[in-house]
Amino acid sequence: MVLVLGGASIAVAAADLGIITGGEKGTNYQFGLNLQGLAKQKGMSLTVYPSRGSIENVFAVYQQSATQLGIVQSDVLAFVSRVQTDPVLKRIAKKSKMVFPLYNEEIHILGRAGSSAACGTAASRSDGKAAGNI
């Protein structure tokens, strides 16, 4: 997960920021609330907006003036930055900047016992080390 900033919104007063996160029952919404608490300690106002996920967040940071920050999955951000065929996504990529990574994501793969998919060897992590047996 990464925190992104919409370039067109930088002129907004630092005391009035908005962040779009994820569903109200999810981890990213809680991250938004935690950031809101930190901002309040520094005399800033951060409004936390729930969403349906990363894709909505990318567009909100680009389109909504009250939303300068968004929490986005790193693979979604990477996709947006690489697409060269869609003019809207190209504009979004040019006007959005990653602020900082929040945490590494884990991917869990489950399979039915006895199936050929569940009889694998060790899974590998993004750093090339074995993650454990499946």
Side-chain angles (χ1 to χ4, degrees):
M1 286 294 163
V2 296
L3 187 65
V4 294
L5 171 71
S9 304
I10 294 175
V12 174
D16 296 317
L17 294 173
I19 184 170
I20 190 161
T21 58
E24 291 183 54
K25 295 181 181 178
T27 301
N28 295 333
Y29 185 77
Q30 186 60 52
F31 265 110
L33 294 176
N34 292 345
L35 290 170
Q36 182 182 52
L38 290 171
K40 186 175 182 178
Q41 291 174 11
K42 299 297 181 183
M44 298 171 58
S45 173
L46 179 65
T47 303
V48 180
Y49 299 104
S51 74
R52 292 183 301 258
S54 290
I55 295 171
E56 180 181 349
N57 297 356
V58 166
F59 282 98
V61 168
Y62 176 69
Q63 295 174 333
Q64 298 176 10
S65 61
T67 307
Q68 296 80 27
L69 301 166
I71 297 177
V72 179
Q73 289 177 307
S74 54
D75 61 338
V76 172
L77 187 61
F79 173 79
V80 170
S81 69
R82 285 193 305 258
V83 171
Q84 295 297 310
T85 55
D86 186 306
V88 173
L89 289 180
K90 281 177 72 171
R91 283 193 303 274
I92 290 172
K94 274 187 173 181
K95 293 187 178 259
S96 299
K97 304 292 179 215
M98 183 178 80
V99 177
F100 58 86
L102 293 172
Y103 59 91
N104 290 327
E105 297 176 79
E106 296 180 20
I107 299 173
H108 302 276
I109 301 173
L110 305 175
R112 191 172 322 126
S115 71
S116 60
C119 295
T121 58
S124 63
R125 303 183 325 192
S126 62
D127 60 6
K129 297 179 182 174
N133 291 328
I134 298 177

